[in-house]
Amino acid sequence: MKNNFINFIAREWLFLLSLCGLLFTSYHLSAFPLFSQADLVPIFLLFALFVVIKGLENSHLFLQVSSFLEKSKFLPQKLLFISFFLSMLISIDVAIITLLPIVLSLKIKQREKLVILVALTSHIGAALTPFGTPQNLFIYSYYSLNTYEFIKIIAPFSFAMLALFFIVSLFIKTTSIRKKEELIANINKPLAYIYLTLFLTVVLIILHILPLNLLPWILLFIFFFDIKSFKVDYLLLFTFIIFIGLTANIKQMLGTTIEHPTHIFILSSFLSQFISNVPTTLILNKFTSQYEALLWGTNVGGFGSIIAAMANLITYKIYISHNDSKNTKSFILQFIAYGYAAFIAGYILYFLIM
């Protein structure tokens, strides 16, 4: 019992820390935050995405894809460009939730470095489009930017970081460690086709091409058709809800105006390390008109700590759900080290370019 409790704290420390933050700020304000429909819709979409991805995983599609990738040349470079363009087209969270189970099914040396490469590259691909990340969408909408202006501001960051990550990928040597006699589970083709169709449908709903009211019907169908796919990380979803409440509380507690671009860049990038870049955007937009610095700061600020971006948290949770606790500490240290290296590179780029 004691070991189970310690293991729970070790795995879910971020959930517990966030909950403490929410309770403390709510006590300070003498009120709990109220959640609107707009707050909870993204959580509902993430839940549907988790369920569909779990279904694809259960069909053994990811095992087949990973087995194919293990035999291909230039694997780090392929994953680099796939994650860059996929996150640019379907958003960072969807790209990471889609790609990481495939990467984690690989039986190769330096797999952890590939996980980190995919996660970090997804940041810079998603940064390039207004809908690639939640903070981008909010800045794009709040400041009434046009698409050309938006891309012009952030393109130097995305492409310079892509070139840097490409150079890093050349030093990642992947060798298959799968035993020749090891059998790969046969893919359940009917199940895979059904979940691929459902995955595409959920993505189209996320992109506002299909209506949101289709989502309950999809989940109801999966519930009766394949309830095993509902075995997803519910604590991760609750952590997101807590973050939303914590953001609302912090917004009430702060109040000032900041107009110097460098101050906004530094403040947004560093604040992201502690409360994530989406809450940082929601807080700071009320106090500044410097959208270029805010856009750069929140995207650079997505690198670094586990909680600097929701995508980092998703990466961490997906990784620990596929690995035993022995590897978790090593992965976290590597993820933070590479993340802060990218964070510093982003800082250098900002002061060179902007």
Side-chain angles (χ1 to χ4, degrees):
M1 183 69 74
K2 183 179 178 182
N3 287 339
N4 289 339
F5 179 70
I6 293 171
N7 288 336
F8 175 79
I9 292 176
R11 292 175 69 89
E12 305 299 342
W13 58 272
L14 191 53
F15 166 77
L16 296 171
L17 191 63
S18 305
L19 181 60
C20 290
L22 176 64
L23 293 174
F24 175 78
T25 53
S26 296
Y27 174 78
H28 180 78
L29 295 169
S30 301
F32 275 96
L34 297 175
F35 296 94
S36 67
Q37 182 180 343
D39 291 328
L40 297 178
V41 164
I43 307 299
F44 191 38
L45 287 167
L46 269 180
F47 172 60
L49 200 57
F50 285 163
V51 170
V52 172
I53 292 295
K54 177 59 75 172
L56 284 171
E57 197 173 332
N58 291 341
S59 74
H60 300 134
L61 175 65
F62 293 156
L63 286 173
Q64 293 289 334
V65 173
S66 63
S67 176
F68 170 77
L69 287 173
E70 282 174 22
K71 302 168 187 174
S72 65
K73 295 181 179 179
F74 309 111
L75 177 57
Q77 292 74 38
K78 287 178 181 177
L79 287 173
L80 176 85
F81 288 108
I82 290 171
S83 56
F84 182 86
F85 287 107
L86 195 62
S87 61
M88 187 172 65
L89 295 173
I90 63 173
S91 85
I92 183 171
D93 295 338
V94 181
I96 285 176
I97 293 169
T98 305
L99 287 175
L100 285 194
I102 296 174
V103 177
L104 287 166
S105 297
L106 295 167
K107 287 206 169 182
I108 56 171
K109 292 180 179 178
Q110 301 203 64
R111 187 183 62 176
E112 282 71 20
K113 285 187 173 62
L114 284 185
V115 170
I116 295 167
L117 181 69
V118 166
L120 296 183
T121 306
S122 296
H123 278 284
I124 59 172
L128 197 56
T129 59
F131 57 83
T133 66
Q135 75 269 14
N136 279 13
L137 185 59
F138 195 86
I139 291 171
Y140 178 79
S141 173
Y142 185 84
Y143 293 102
S144 301
L145 305 179
N146 63 61
T147 305
Y148 171 76
E149 183 183 9
F150 181 95
I151 294 174
K152 184 180 177 182
I153 293 167
I154 204 64
F157 166 75
S158 290
F159 288 116
M161 294 300 290
L162 179 64
L164 177 62
F165 289 169
F166 177 78
I167 294 170
V168 171
S169 74
L170 298 175
F171 294 92
I172 301 176
K173 305 300 179 184
T174 57
T175 307
S176 177
I177 56 174
R178 192 183 296 275
K179 297 176 183 178
K180 291 183 179 179
E181 65 274 12
E182 190 174 339
L183 296 175
I184 302 294
N186 289 328
I187 186 172
N188 185 332
K189 289 185 179 180
L191 194 64
Y193 287 138
I194 288 169
Y195 276 110
L196 280 171
T197 303
L198 293 174
F199 172 75
L200 179 61
T201 305
V202 173
V203 169
L204 292 176
I205 292 171
I206 290 171
L207 297 177
H208 306 296
I209 295 172
L210 291 177
L212 183 64
N213 55 20
L214 278 177
L215 210 53
W217 295 104
I218 291 172
L219 291 171
L220 192 63
F221 168 75
I222 297 173
F223 181 81
F224 287 107
F225 168 70
D226 182 27
I227 197 171
K228 291 184 293 184
S229 295
F230 275 78
K231 292 180 180 179
V232 298
D233 193 341
Y234 290 97
L235 274 180
L236 175 58
L237 296 170
F238 281 122
T239 304
F240 289 153
I241 294 172
I242 288 169
F243 260 72
I244 293 170
L246 186 58
T247 300
N249 284 352
I250 292 172
K251 282 175 72 175
Q252 286 191 55
M253 292 166 65
L254 295 178
T256 186
T257 301
I258 311 166
E259 289 299 337
H260 195 289
T262 303
H263 295 169
I264 283 293
F265 172 75
I266 293 173
L267 181 60
S268 59
S269 59
F270 273 92
L271 193 58
S272 295
Q273 302 305 303
F274 303 100
I275 64 168
S276 181
N277 53 8
V278 175
T280 295
T281 305
L282 295 174
I283 291 168
L284 292 182
N285 77 87
K286 298 288 192 298
F287 308 123
T288 187
S289 61
Q290 300 295 330
Y291 57 84
E292 292 142 324
L294 184 61
L295 181 61
W296 268 78
T298 51
N299 277 291
V300 171
F303 298 129
S305 74
I306 295 292
I307 61 172
M310 290 296 184
N312 296 356
L313 179 55
I314 292 171
T315 301
Y316 166 73
K317 294 291 286 184
I318 291 176
Y319 179 83
I320 64 172
S321 70
H322 284 76
N323 291 271
D324 57 46
S325 57
K326 293 179 181 178
N327 298 325
T328 302
K329 185 177 179 181
S330 171
F331 173 77
I332 291 175
L333 291 175
Q334 286 188 73
F335 186 89
I336 292 174
Y338 283 105
Y340 276 112
F343 181 83
I344 292 168
Y347 252 71
I348 293 169
L349 277 174
Y350 177 80
F351 287 107
L352 285 176
I353 295 170
M354 298 299 291

